[in-house]
Amino acid sequence: MKRYILELVGLSLAVAAMTSHAADYTYTNVAGTIKITGYIGSGGAVTIPSTINGLPVTIIGEAAFHHSDLTGVTSVTIPNSVVSIESSAFAGCDGLTKITLGNGVASIGDYAFGGCDAITSITIPSSISHIGSEVFSACFSLTTINVGANSYYCSVSGVLFNK
């Protein structure tokens, strides 16, 4: 019985190490960096921390902010430490009006901001090397995308054309 309890405690500690909670986020440690896997805060203006437990936050995980019960996120500020925003990370955050991307973002996954229909403009840093498909799908209020020093206008269909 004692051995069984010790094994159970060991298993619980292993699971706790895989996903941890800090303030308003769930996250995992990926090779010494933090991947945000979920948002559990109350909404409003959200500023993602550049570090959690002394480790840099480098990834906003797939569907991290996409929850059926998530309401009230109005703006998101992503720090320079983040290099990757995975697929559907913010999809469906229909109250999201402002996104500030840090200068380190190199990759934005498919449908990352899909369905965020309150966004009117966004600036993508020049550090970007990959933008997935349908990143702004169903963002019907989005009219301007700035990429580095270049500006683009969007049509409702999502087709981009140069300013």
Side-chain angles (χ1 to χ4, degrees):
M1 179 70 155
K2 192 176 197 181
R3 180 174 169 229
Y4 173 75
I5 291 172
L6 287 175
E7 288 175 355
L8 187 59
V9 168
L11 179 61
S12 296
L13 290 174
V15 170
M18 289 176 14
T19 302
S20 303
H21 296 275
D24 293 336
Y25 306 94
T26 58
Y27 61 91
T28 58
N29 181 328
V30 178
T33 67
I34 297 297
K35 175 180 180 176
I36 302 258
T37 57
Y39 175 73
I40 53 176
S42 59
V46 174
T47 300
I48 295 171
S50 59
T51 62
I52 293 178
N53 292 337
L55 298 174
V57 174
T58 59
I59 303 168
I60 308 299
E62 183 173 341
F65 281 73
H66 181 70
H67 301 287
S68 59
D69 60 347
L70 179 63
T71 59
V73 174
T74 57
S75 69
V76 174
T77 301
I78 298 172
N80 293 338
S81 62
V82 170
V83 296
S84 178
I85 299 170
E86 293 184 344
S87 297
S88 302
F90 296 93
C93 292
D94 56 6
L96 187 58
T97 60
K98 182 178 180 186
I99 303 164
T100 305
L101 299 177
N103 291 327
V105 175
S107 176
I108 301 175
D110 299 342
Y111 204 69
F113 299 102
C116 297
D117 25 331
I119 298 171
T120 58
S121 69
I122 187 167
T123 298
I124 297 173
S126 56
S127 58
I128 198 76
S129 60
H130 170 77
I131 297 177
S133 66
E134 300 188 59
V135 169
F136 299 106
S137 177
C139 293
F140 298 116
S141 298
L142 185 62
T143 57
T144 306
I145 298 176
N146 298 306
V147 182
N150 300 308
S151 290
Y152 300 86
Y153 291 107
C154 302
S155 69
V156 174
S157 65
V159 176
L160 300 178
F161 54 94
N162 212 346
K163 182 175 180 179

